[in-house]
Amino acid sequence: VQLQASGGGLVQAGGSLRLPCAATSGRIYSSAVMAWFRRAPGKEREFVALTRWSRDSTNYADSVEGRFTISRDSAKNTVYLQMNSLKPEDTAIYYCARGSQWAVQPDAYFSWGQGTLVTVSS
């Protein structure tokens, strides 16, 4: 299964973006955990949000709680990250990832999308 993230772009502070991550060349099994991470310029990759593919369980980083929402559409084999009330500090390359553990560490994930750049202007 390959992951393809898209939807990034330039947005003003306070604006919104939705990032889709489509799984291709296969299907996502019900036991999978899907996550979003991001890497800001000069910083380490950090956890953003995660969800179980088969259940409505979610977890968010404190920095995005209440502003971002992770969701999935099984029929489209796609996971989404809805980002509202964006701040300049949200500027980063956003990556989707697939794993099998309920974890916030990047090393727990074995399949990654190519990343999509989100730039938030002040």
Side-chain angles (χ1 to χ4, degrees):
V1 175
Q2 294 183 332
L3 301 178
Q4 293 183 317
S6 60
L10 175 63
V11 63
Q12 289 188 331
S16 299
L17 280 176
R18 188 176 77 154
L19 306 182
C21 173
T24 62
S25 302
R27 60 184 295 269
I28 300 175
Y29 289 97
S30 59
S31 59
V33 175
M34 303 297 294
W36 287 93
F37 291 80
R38 66 186 182 186
R39 176 174 286 167
K43 294 188 177 181
E44 296 289 320
R45 183 169 44 183
E46 66 173 357
F47 164 74
V48 175
L50 66 93
T51 185
R52 295 191 186 277
W53 186 249
S54 61
R55 296 190 308 191
D56 291 331
S57 299
T58 59
N59 188 26
Y60 297 92
D62 290 344
S63 58
V64 306
E65 180 83 52
R67 299 188 298 123
F68 291 11
T69 302
I70 188 171
S71 62
R72 77 263 188 259
D73 185 330
S74 300
K76 295 183 178 179
N77 237 19
T78 299
V79 63
Y80 300 94
L81 185 67
Q82 177 68 45
M83 305 185 296
N84 299 327
S85 302
L86 282 162
K87 305 175 181 180
E89 52 263 43
D90 293 318
T91 294
I93 300 174
Y94 284 73
Y95 300 89
C96 58
R98 180 172 65 94
S100 58
Q101 300 178 49
W102 189 254
V104 301
Q105 296 80 13
D107 291 347
Y109 294 81
F110 47 76
S111 180
W112 292 81
Q114 82 284 7
T116 185
L117 176 62
V118 172
T119 303
V120 184
S121 63
S122 57

